[in-house]
Amino acid sequence: MTELRLAINSERIGRNLDRLAEFSDAPSPAVTRVLFTPTDMLGRQFICDLMQQVGLQVRLDAAGNIFGRWLGTKPELPPVATGSHCDAIPHSGRYDGTVGVIGAIEAIAALRESGFQPQRSLEVIMFNAEEPTRYGIGCLGSRLMSGRLTPPAAADLRDEQDETFEITRTAAGCVGSLDTVPLPAGCYRAFVELHIEQGPLLEQQNLPIGIVTAIAAPAALRVTFVGEGGHAGAVLMPQRKDALLPAAELALAAERAARELGGADTVATVGILEVHPGAINSIPSRCEMTVDVRDIDLVRRDQVLTSIQQQAASVGNRRNVATTVTLINADPPARCDETVVAAIENATRAANLPSLKMISRAYHDSLFMALIAPTSMIFIPCRGGVSHRPDEYASPAAIQAGVEVLARTLAQLSQE
Amino acid sequence: MTELRLAINSERIGRNLDRLAEFSDAPSPAVTRVLFTPTDMLGRQFICDLMQQVGLQVRLDAAGNIFGRWLGTKPELPPVATGSHCDAIPHSGRYDGTVGVIGAIEAIAALRESGFQPQRSLEVIMFNAEEPTRYGIGCLGSRLMSGRLTPPAAADLRDEQDETFEITRTAAGCVGSLDTVPLPAGCYRAFVELHIEQGPLLEQQNLPIGIVTAIAAPAALRVTFVGEGGHAGAVLMPQRKDALLPAAELALAAERAARELGGADTVATVGILEVHPGAINSIPSRCEMTVDVRDIDLVRRDQVLTSIQQQAASVGNRRNVATTVTLINADPPARCDETVVAAIENATRAANLPSLKMISRAYHDSLFMALIAPTSMIFIPCRGGVSHRPDEYASPAAIQAGVEVLARTLAQLSQE
């Protein structure tokens, strides 16, 4: 592949990222784009248009995942796929996920413009709802595709308005049965995802490319405390069953569990804590919260998770409030495929870029694609290692390097 | 006044309370009715209609407070006023405040039907926004009327959408300058408010009537913590500046301060705690909370308040997050007027109902009316002492007794 002469159009990538960021329910630079909202529908159309502009054949599956295929000279062989997501949690940034979709489309454009012709077909996938914003579960699209989430379970997922995914996807124009979404193992020769690191290592070591060898194991709980409301002036302290106070205790207990029971790589986060009824002069009667626990070590993660579950029950019991603990997900870690890792390594050499083999601590569609396809990821540095914030940033040069490595990786895998 | 023969139409009161409860943004039996929302506008119209049906002359002041006057035979004398509020915090009940408006209208109806003719005019007032839901400050209408809140400060109050009270009241059809709202001391001979107790004492002692001699002193803080957001998987624990965790510590500290520094009557409540951005996999970057502190002892309340303010600063400092503490209000307690208390006592004797002199721990428009008029309150029992909940309940018999005592009190004060 060394003879490939690629011109990655960095300016076009930046312009497309900026245009996509305009489809947002939060004021710039913050981005909020939640599955199948009117804003998301516009963003999805924008991505379909970009795919068509570079000559990809676009199709939707019944769940709303978007596929764009460049037919190879041997279309009977399993294709090579790449892609990521374009949804954005409330008040986040413009690079998480989007770099792996818009960057993939640009990689295809650069390959086409170079005169390259793939043997295996190349496919860009935009997975829907990688972020758990709407349904409380991450990687909805790739989970379904990989079979880790069954079609009936997906159909019955409910958002905050108690609207099912089945209803929402139908209203959003997705046709066909969800039963058609899962793909068999072996349907793709490989899956490669380009993504910002969401951590500080590449920036700290001044390296342009990370090659992911494993993806950490995330788990999440939903905890609900139901106590007794009442007027903040009228119910004396000993008579109260305040639902917020056990939630406050649990948030602090989760932090302690991660720090004391976990290792350096263990993290626990209470990202959602909602108080009902939520009035200045009203004792909280119900409190709902989530606890997200991650680690690269599955056993240690589950020890921390179990400790938090036990403490939820004991604090609720001590404060005499009803406590419900639900496991939202507890996914196993993914090992990346050696042949795909080797292809990325070859690509970095061809592009003359140094790289680091590393572990992904964040959740990705690759975690699920790894169940049905040989998978790895290409990481690029992001400023300060931050993501999920309006000031999330990856430089044009960093993105350009990532897209070049992606293009070379796809080219190589498509000829094998 | 013993010769007054009053027929209180308990069935009509219940029907009107039920009809008013239908103007709600929460499903029955919960009631949500927030100032100047479309639902509240319908509720306000319903109250105006009721006032007109019993022959009251209805007018609005520039803030949207509603007045209904029965002209006395000596209209030049300061009138006697009664009333309460009809707004309802999210997911509360149908008796708090409403009993004092619909009950007052029924008291007027009963007096009229008995053939009674007042010398001083009698006036029913529906105060707007007694609850702090929309603007974060309680008793907006009576605060303005009493001069405790200045018209420019009221005009500039902002709701969550950053819409000013000036804009909202204009859109709601209130005309004239807010400068016309404050009333001079002495404008009313007396003010009497009928209200559910919102505490358990009357029910426990099986007494139908409470006569309020003082109203407890409430105070409230708004505390904002601003830390650093980020991806829940990617930022390790030692690097975090999570904005929720100091809020959790402060909620527990407020509980401790009330229990350990305060007395039996000291209460502290965190009723609002909002987490930004509020996603399962996002570290909280900002947290806003309120702390409501009340006591019948002003010095002790302020000690607890000061302790909470200090702990907010110290926990924010220790966790390296920016902390802002704002005093929303810290009102002094009100003493009730002896002549009005005596008039209520006479009324209970005339109605042959036993009573208890008591303190109000909850916030009322009477707290502010006491600044411009001799004031007291009539309490009736409510089930379990609960309020601000969908299961808030006062029996038809309890309400009937309260309305009879109110009618007899108004009659007596109107002839003095």
Side-chain angles (χ1 to χ4, degrees), chain B residues 201-218:
Chain B
L201 300 181
L202 293 174
E203 187 183 61
Q204 283 168 4
Q205 300 181 41
N206 197 25
L207 289 169
I209 298 292
I211 305 174
V212 174
T213 57
I215 302 174

PDB file of all heavy atoms in Angstrom, chain B residues 201-218:
ATOM      1  N   LEU B 201     -50.668  19.157  64.638  1.00  0.00           N
ATOM      2  CA  LEU B 201     -51.124  19.407  66.009  1.00  0.00           C
ATOM      3  C   LEU B 201     -52.641  19.359  66.174  1.00  0.00           C
ATOM      4  O   LEU B 201     -53.161  18.732  67.096  1.00  0.00           O
ATOM      5  CB  LEU B 201     -50.587  20.753  66.510  1.00  0.00           C
ATOM      6  CG  LEU B 201     -49.059  20.850  66.531  1.00  0.00           C
ATOM      7  CD1 LEU B 201     -48.618  22.212  67.060  1.00  0.00           C
ATOM      8  CD2 LEU B 201     -48.469  19.738  67.379  1.00  0.00           C
ATOM      9  N   LEU B 202     -53.378  20.035  65.296  1.00  0.00           N
ATOM     10  CA  LEU B 202     -54.838  20.075  65.448  1.00  0.00           C
ATOM     11  C   LEU B 202     -55.425  18.673  65.331  1.00  0.00           C
ATOM     12  O   LEU B 202     -56.300  18.283  66.109  1.00  0.00           O
ATOM     13  CB  LEU B 202     -55.463  21.010  64.412  1.00  0.00           C
ATOM     14  CG  LEU B 202     -55.132  22.506  64.592  1.00  0.00           C
ATOM     15  CD1 LEU B 202     -55.698  23.306  63.417  1.00  0.00           C
ATOM     16  CD2 LEU B 202     -55.677  23.032  65.921  1.00  0.00           C
ATOM     17  N   GLU B 203     -54.932  17.916  64.354  1.00  0.00           N
ATOM     18  CA  GLU B 203     -55.451  16.561  64.179  1.00  0.00           C
ATOM     19  C   GLU B 203     -55.146  15.703  65.399  1.00  0.00           C
ATOM     20  O   GLU B 203     -56.013  14.975  65.900  1.00  0.00           O
ATOM     21  CB  GLU B 203     -54.839  15.926  62.922  1.00  0.00           C
ATOM     22  CG  GLU B 203     -55.437  14.578  62.571  1.00  0.00           C
ATOM     23  CD  GLU B 203     -54.749  13.938  61.359  1.00  0.00           C
ATOM     24  OE1 GLU B 203     -53.532  13.673  61.439  1.00  0.00           O
ATOM     25  OE2 GLU B 203     -55.419  13.710  60.352  1.00  0.00           O
ATOM     26  N   GLN B 204     -53.929  15.817  65.903  1.00  0.00           N
ATOM     27  CA  GLN B 204     -53.536  15.015  67.062  1.00  0.00           C
ATOM     28  C   GLN B 204     -54.405  15.327  68.275  1.00  0.00           C
ATOM     29  O   GLN B 204     -54.743  14.449  69.057  1.00  0.00           O
ATOM     30  CB  GLN B 204     -52.058  15.270  67.418  1.00  0.00           C
ATOM     31  CG  GLN B 204     -51.084  14.547  66.489  1.00  0.00           C
ATOM     32  CD  GLN B 204     -49.643  15.022  66.663  1.00  0.00           C
ATOM     33  OE1 GLN B 204     -49.356  15.842  67.530  1.00  0.00           O
ATOM     34  NE2 GLN B 204     -48.748  14.509  65.826  1.00  0.00           N
ATOM     35  N   GLN B 205     -54.735  16.615  68.434  1.00  0.00           N
ATOM     36  CA  GLN B 205     -55.517  17.009  69.609  1.00  0.00           C
ATOM     37  C   GLN B 205     -57.014  17.048  69.300  1.00  0.00           C
ATOM     38  O   GLN B 205     -57.807  17.485  70.146  1.00  0.00           O
ATOM     39  CB  GLN B 205     -55.022  18.364  70.128  1.00  0.00           C
ATOM     40  CG  GLN B 205     -53.548  18.295  70.529  1.00  0.00           C
ATOM     41  CD  GLN B 205     -53.024  19.608  71.076  1.00  0.00           C
ATOM     42  OE1 GLN B 205     -53.705  20.295  71.832  1.00  0.00           O
ATOM     43  NE2 GLN B 205     -51.804  19.968  70.707  1.00  0.00           N
ATOM     44  N   ASN B 206     -57.363  16.634  68.105  1.00  0.00           N
ATOM     45  CA  ASN B 206     -58.767  16.582  67.703  1.00  0.00           C
ATOM     46  C   ASN B 206     -59.485  17.916  67.883  1.00  0.00           C
ATOM     47  O   ASN B 206     -60.606  17.988  68.379  1.00  0.00           O
ATOM     48  CB  ASN B 206     -59.488  15.457  68.488  1.00  0.00           C
ATOM     49  CG  ASN B 206     -60.796  15.075  67.835  1.00  0.00           C
ATOM     50  OD1 ASN B 206     -60.970  15.258  66.632  1.00  0.00           O
ATOM     51  ND2 ASN B 206     -61.726  14.563  68.634  1.00  0.00           N
ATOM     52  N   LEU B 207     -58.808  18.999  67.464  1.00  0.00           N
ATOM     53  CA  LEU B 207     -59.375  20.342  67.584  1.00  0.00           C
ATOM     54  C   LEU B 207     -59.664  20.895  66.200  1.00  0.00           C
ATOM     55  O   LEU B 207     -58.865  20.712  65.275  1.00  0.00           O
ATOM     56  CB  LEU B 207     -58.386  21.264  68.304  1.00  0.00           C
ATOM     57  CG  LEU B 207     -58.201  20.978  69.800  1.00  0.00           C
ATOM     58  CD1 LEU B 207     -57.010  21.774  70.342  1.00  0.00           C
ATOM     59  CD2 LEU B 207     -59.478  21.351  70.560  1.00  0.00           C
ATOM     60  N   PRO B 208     -60.805  21.580  66.010  1.00  0.00           N
ATOM     61  CA  PRO B 208     -61.179  22.030  64.671  1.00  0.00           C
ATOM     62  C   PRO B 208     -60.502  23.334  64.241  1.00  0.00           C
ATOM     63  O   PRO B 208     -60.419  23.599  63.043  1.00  0.00           O
ATOM     64  CB  PRO B 208     -62.689  22.220  64.766  1.00  0.00           C
ATOM     65  CG  PRO B 208     -62.929  22.546  66.200  1.00  0.00           C
ATOM     66  CD  PRO B 208     -61.891  21.796  66.995  1.00  0.00           C
ATOM     67  N   ILE B 209     -60.067  24.154  65.192  1.00  0.00           N
ATOM     68  CA  ILE B 209     -59.597  25.497  64.833  1.00  0.00           C
ATOM     69  C   ILE B 209     -58.287  25.826  65.554  1.00  0.00           C
ATOM     70  O   ILE B 209     -58.160  25.635  66.765  1.00  0.00           O
ATOM     71  CB  ILE B 209     -60.643  26.567  65.236  1.00  0.00           C
ATOM     72  CG1 ILE B 209     -61.968  26.329  64.478  1.00  0.00           C
ATOM     73  CG2 ILE B 209     -60.120  28.001  64.992  1.00  0.00           C
ATOM     74  CD1 ILE B 209     -61.901  26.579  62.976  1.00  0.00           C
ATOM     75  N   GLY B 210     -57.319  26.328  64.798  1.00  0.00           N
ATOM     76  CA  GLY B 210     -56.107  26.904  65.370  1.00  0.00           C
ATOM     77  C   GLY B 210     -56.129  28.417  65.164  1.00  0.00           C
ATOM     78  O   GLY B 210     -56.567  28.893  64.111  1.00  0.00           O
ATOM     79  N   ILE B 211     -55.702  29.153  66.184  1.00  0.00           N
ATOM     80  CA  ILE B 211     -55.642  30.618  66.061  1.00  0.00           C
ATOM     81  C   ILE B 211     -54.163  30.998  66.117  1.00  0.00           C
ATOM     82  O   ILE B 211     -53.476  30.735  67.112  1.00  0.00           O
ATOM     83  CB  ILE B 211     -56.420  31.306  67.194  1.00  0.00           C
ATOM     84  CG1 ILE B 211     -57.865  30.776  67.220  1.00  0.00           C
ATOM     85  CG2 ILE B 211     -56.390  32.818  67.025  1.00  0.00           C
ATOM     86  CD1 ILE B 211     -58.679  31.283  68.407  1.00  0.00           C
ATOM     87  N   VAL B 212     -53.672  31.598  65.048  1.00  0.00           N
ATOM     88  CA  VAL B 212     -52.228  31.799  64.911  1.00  0.00           C
ATOM     89  C   VAL B 212     -51.809  33.092  65.599  1.00  0.00           C
ATOM     90  O   VAL B 212     -52.355  34.160  65.329  1.00  0.00           O
ATOM     91  CB  VAL B 212     -51.833  31.803  63.424  1.00  0.00           C
ATOM     92  CG1 VAL B 212     -50.362  32.150  63.252  1.00  0.00           C
ATOM     93  CG2 VAL B 212     -52.135  30.432  62.801  1.00  0.00           C
ATOM     94  N   THR B 213     -50.802  32.955  66.469  1.00  0.00           N
ATOM     95  CA  THR B 213     -50.310  34.118  67.221  1.00  0.00           C
ATOM     96  C   THR B 213     -48.968  34.609  66.692  1.00  0.00           C
ATOM     97  O   THR B 213     -48.549  35.716  67.024  1.00  0.00           O
ATOM     98  CB  THR B 213     -50.162  33.765  68.709  1.00  0.00           C
ATOM     99  OG1 THR B 213     -49.273  32.638  68.816  1.00  0.00           O
ATOM    100  CG2 THR B 213     -51.511  33.400  69.326  1.00  0.00           C
ATOM    101  N   ALA B 214     -48.269  33.778  65.887  1.00  0.00           N
ATOM    102  CA  ALA B 214     -46.980  34.200  65.311  1.00  0.00           C
ATOM    103  C   ALA B 214     -46.677  33.301  64.109  1.00  0.00           C
ATOM    104  O   ALA B 214     -47.148  32.166  64.026  1.00  0.00           O
ATOM    105  CB  ALA B 214     -45.855  34.095  66.329  1.00  0.00           C
ATOM    106  N   ILE B 215     -45.877  33.825  63.181  1.00  0.00           N
ATOM    107  CA  ILE B 215     -45.492  33.049  61.999  1.00  0.00           C
ATOM    108  C   ILE B 215     -43.969  32.924  61.976  1.00  0.00           C
ATOM    109  O   ILE B 215     -43.251  33.911  62.132  1.00  0.00           O
ATOM    110  CB  ILE B 215     -45.992  33.721  60.706  1.00  0.00           C
ATOM    111  CG1 ILE B 215     -47.523  33.870  60.772  1.00  0.00           C
ATOM    112  CG2 ILE B 215     -45.598  32.915  59.477  1.00  0.00           C
ATOM    113  CD1 ILE B 215     -48.117  34.646  59.622  1.00  0.00           C
ATOM    114  N   ALA B 216     -43.504  31.684  61.825  1.00  0.00           N
ATOM    115  CA  ALA B 216     -42.068  31.403  61.922  1.00  0.00           C
ATOM    116  C   ALA B 216     -41.280  32.109  60.825  1.00  0.00           C
ATOM    117  O   ALA B 216     -41.826  32.550  59.813  1.00  0.00           O
ATOM    118  CB  ALA B 216     -41.821  29.900  61.845  1.00  0.00           C
ATOM    119  N   ALA B 217     -39.990  32.193  61.087  1.00  0.00           N
ATOM    120  CA  ALA B 217     -39.106  32.972  60.229  1.00  0.00           C
ATOM    121  C   ALA B 217     -38.387  32.072  59.240  1.00  0.00           C
ATOM    122  O   ALA B 217     -37.531  31.288  59.623  1.00  0.00           O
ATOM    123  CB  ALA B 217     -38.089  33.701  61.108  1.00  0.00           C
ATOM    124  N   PRO B 218     -38.706  32.180  57.968  1.00  0.00           N
ATOM    125  CA  PRO B 218     -38.023  31.363  56.962  1.00  0.00           C
ATOM    126  C   PRO B 218     -36.842  32.098  56.327  1.00  0.00           C
ATOM    127  O   PRO B 218     -36.825  33.327  56.273  1.00  0.00           O
ATOM    128  CB  PRO B 218     -39.123  31.144  55.917  1.00  0.00           C
ATOM    129  CG  PRO B 218     -40.007  32.347  56.032  1.00  0.00           C
ATOM    130  CD  PRO B 218     -39.818  32.946  57.402  1.00  0.00           C
TER     131      PRO B 218
END
